[in-house]
Amino acid sequence: MFPIPQTFPTNNTHRMVLFLDHQLHGDYERIEDILANAARHTRAASEALAQLPYEALKPIQGWARDLEKHSERRRFLTDDYRHAARSALRELAKLEPEMASGPIDSAMRNLRDALEASHRVTDLLAAEQEIARSRGHHS
């Protein structure tokens, strides 16, 4: 990190100084944050599902329970979790928006974000394993 200057020149020049307190990182360095985002989005989706009227929630109840179990166990990288999230999304897409458009939209948006985060972490871990496997064969 660059030291913060104590004096600034005052002659007829213009300078723009940008100080960043944090370093910018790629997704691999943020892997824990991405997975935590999956957890946050899953909880938000569950909260939105709980706001649905019973007739809208009925076809999704099983998937909603599965998502809550995964949230309680903090398991967001399994095929079972992704299957439950995708299935809930499919069922939500079948609902009439007039039933409860706000909760439906919120649940769908959060489930999509949670799935994206889960897949991203899985992809990063798979890439790490593939690189390690490739390096192991060449050394």
Side-chain angles (χ1 to χ4, degrees), residues 23-34 120 124:
Q23 293 179 331
L24 302 176
H25 297 287
D27 280 354
Y28 190 77
E29 289 80 14
R30 296 182 43 250
I31 200 165
E32 294 92 356
D33 292 336
I34 297 169
R120 184 64 180 149
L124 290 166

Side-chain angles (χ1 to χ4, degrees), residues 39-65:
R40 180 172 42 96
H41 291 303
T42 302
R43 282 192 302 273
S46 293
E47 290 170 9
L49 291 173
Q51 295 176 10
L52 291 174
Y54 179 73
E55 59 274 359
L57 181 62
K58 189 175 181 180
I60 304 167
Q61 271 184 323
W63 303 120
R65 278 193 301 272

Side-chain angles (χ1 to χ4, degrees), residues 24-95:
L24 302 176
H25 297 287
D27 280 354
Y28 190 77
E29 289 80 14
R30 296 182 43 250
I31 200 165
E32 294 92 356
D33 292 336
I34 297 169
L35 191 56
N37 288 342
R40 180 172 42 96
H41 291 303
T42 302
R43 282 192 302 273
S46 293
E47 290 170 9
L49 291 173
Q51 295 176 10
L52 291 174
Y54 179 73
E55 59 274 359
L57 181 62
K58 189 175 181 180
I60 304 167
Q61 271 184 323
W63 303 120
R65 278 193 301 272
D66 286 351
L67 290 171
E68 287 178 16
K69 287 178 191 174
H70 289 288
S71 284
E72 289 170 7
R73 296 179 186 147
R74 307 281 196 271
R75 301 281 188 236
F76 304 102
L77 298 179
T78 65
D79 289 334
D80 289 340
Y81 165 76
R82 287 189 287 270
H83 176 71
R86 280 191 305 270
S87 297
L89 273 171
R90 275 194 299 275
E91 292 299 323
L92 284 166
K94 295 177 187 176
L95 295 178

